[in-house]
Amino acid sequence: MSEAERNRIAVLIDADNVGASYVREIFNAACRFGEPIVRRAYGTPQCFQSEGGWQRAQREYGISSKPQVSNVTGKNVADIALVIDAMECLYTLPCDGICIVSNDSDYTALAAKIREAGKQVYGIGHAKAPISFRSACTKYVVLKKPAKEPPAQPEPEPRCPRCGGKLVKGWTKSRRVCLACEACGGMSAK
């Protein structure tokens, strides 16, 4: 039985700190450490409202969103919520390890506490993460820039159904907009 097969891990994502474009890489790395039985993301409500961001990631990867509303400007309530849930996972859930997805040095003490409790703590984040957090983790995985999606293919130019010539914007005798063929002079109007 491999390490990944017997370990049950909690994946806790600081969504304010790591973008949704990294979700595939996050879970590829997490699955090397064990089976993610807990999948949660923490951030501002806006993080979870964008269709292209964490909202799509939630559906594709079974992530439970934990939007946090700050009562006072400048406080990061998402970080506190992540720490509280990490303690819950550490002491009440059947987790063998906890995966913290962030670049934030504020999680250094949390990582140290998890290790002191005899559990594995895995960090996943960017290379800019401070050495204090990276060293406190059992293992730390540096995320690579996600591959850019290929640009959308441009719409093909409209062609004349009669001769295959290029259609351009034109005008009928009654001054209605139409498409006119440069080659044969044919016109198409609504």
Side-chain angles (χ1 to χ4, degrees):
M1 185 183 292
S2 73
E3 177 184 356
E5 289 176 322
R6 67 176 190 272
N7 283 340
R8 292 167 299 194
I9 63 171
V11 178
L12 308 177
I13 303 167
D14 183 347
D16 287 336
N17 198 275
V18 177
S21 59
Y22 293 94
V23 72
R24 175 177 283 129
E25 190 177 351
I26 290 167
F27 279 95
N28 284 343
C31 287
R32 289 194 301 266
F33 303 134
E35 173 62 32
I37 62 169
V38 175
R39 300 168 182 221
R40 298 178 185 163
Y42 307 81
T44 62
Q46 294 80 9
C47 284
F48 304 107
Q49 293 172 351
S50 159
E51 177 59 35
W54 283 105
Q55 193 176 82
R56 182 173 17 157
Q58 290 174 87
R59 287 192 303 270
E60 291 179 15
Y61 290 87
I63 299 168
S64 296
S65 64
K66 301 293 182 178
Q68 303 296 312
V69 178
S70 182
N71 296 319
V72 179
T73 305
K75 298 293 182 181
N76 196 346
V77 294
D79 290 2
I80 301 300
L82 188 150
V83 170
I84 291 168
D85 281 4
M87 291 292 101
E88 174 195 27
C89 292
L90 183 63
Y91 294 114
T92 64
L93 296 177
C95 293
D96 301 305
I98 297 173
C99 181
I100 302 169
V101 182
S102 183
N103 308 306
D104 197 334
S105 66
D106 293 342
Y107 295 116
T108 302
L110 173 63
K113 190 65 165 175
I114 294 167
R115 285 181 66 155
E116 287 173 10
K119 303 285 184 174
Q120 301 294 308
V121 58
Y122 307 105
I124 298 176
H126 301 294
K128 68 181 181 182
I131 192 69
S132 60
F133 175 57
R134 294 167 74 156
S135 297
C137 295
T138 307
K139 292 179 185 173
Y140 187 86
V141 175
V142 175
L143 295 169
K144 298 174 187 76
K145 274 193 160 181
K148 289 187 177 180
E149 291 185 21
Q153 296 296 323
E155 290 285 326
E157 291 183 349
R159 295 289 175 182
C160 176
R162 186 180 344 169
C163 72
K166 182 178 175 184
L167 293 175
V168 293
K169 185 176 178 179
W171 301 92
T172 66
K173 288 181 184 178
S174 62
R175 305 301 298 157
R176 294 184 61 179
V177 176
C178 70
L179 293 176
C181 178
E182 290 182 326
C184 72
M187 299 177 106
S188 169
K190 289 185 180 179

